[in-house]
Amino acid sequence: PNSKIRNSEMYSNYKSNTTMKGLLGITPNGMMSFVSSLYTGSISDKEITKQSGFKNLLEVGDEVMVDKGFIIQDLLTAKGAKVAIPPFLKQMDQLTKTQVKETQQIARLRIHDERAIRRCKE
């Protein structure tokens, strides 16, 4: 954008460029069930989750898989939904056997998400 204000709103520190962001909901079988409007790149993932209406569609017992940096547990817990997120190393040297299995299970499912995201972008 030519406007410096608009440019700063659209700038993403993560991407180091001006961007637009959206939120996709993808079912376990890889179908898109939710597509949000686009937001300026400087908006947080949590704020998109609030503003897009996604959390209003959740029901008690639903489970939402997110990336490590997508910190929305508090929003989903309030709706009775669960968050599936890969374990963090934090200050440990390595993951436990249980955490490794959980990470592998989530990674197998994330492949389908990444494919759906690529289809949307293309």
Side-chain angles (χ1 to χ4, degrees):
N2 291 335
S3 162
K4 289 183 180 187
I5 293 172
R6 197 69 171 145
N7 192 55
S8 69
E9 289 173 347
M10 293 181 68
Y11 189 81
S12 167
N13 288 322
Y14 180 73
K15 297 281 187 179
S16 298
N17 209 338
T18 53
T19 61
M20 298 293 285
K21 293 167 96 173
L23 180 66
L24 294 176
I26 302 165
T27 64
N29 65 359
M31 300 297 294
M32 282 185 231
S33 60
F34 181 82
V35 179
S36 75
S37 298
L38 292 177
Y39 297 86
T40 57
S42 63
I43 193 170
S44 70
D45 298 330
K46 188 175 211 169
E47 196 58 33
I48 290 176
T49 304
K50 287 179 189 176
Q51 291 184 23
S52 68
F54 172 75
K55 70 177 192 146
N56 299 332
L57 302 174
L58 296 174
E59 297 177 357
V60 174
D62 282 350
E63 191 165 357
V64 178
M65 186 184 326
V66 299
D67 282 336
K68 288 181 182 176
F70 211 93
I71 312 299
I72 59 168
Q73 289 89 332
D74 57 333
L75 297 177
L76 301 189
T77 302
K79 293 290 289 185
K82 301 174 190 166
V83 175
I85 189 167
F88 290 83
L89 265 181
K90 297 180 184 167
Q91 296 173 349
M92 302 179 305
D93 291 334
Q94 62 186 23
L95 299 173
T96 66
K97 287 182 181 181
T98 304
Q99 290 172 321
V100 169
K101 286 183 181 182
E102 184 181 352
T103 299
Q104 290 172 339
Q105 183 180 14
I106 291 172
R108 278 194 296 273
L109 296 172
R110 284 284 304 154
I111 291 168
H112 300 293
D113 287 348
E114 294 300 331
R115 288 179 182 150
I117 291 167
R118 185 181 70 228
R119 283 194 315 267
C120 184
K121 285 180 177 180
E122 290 174 355

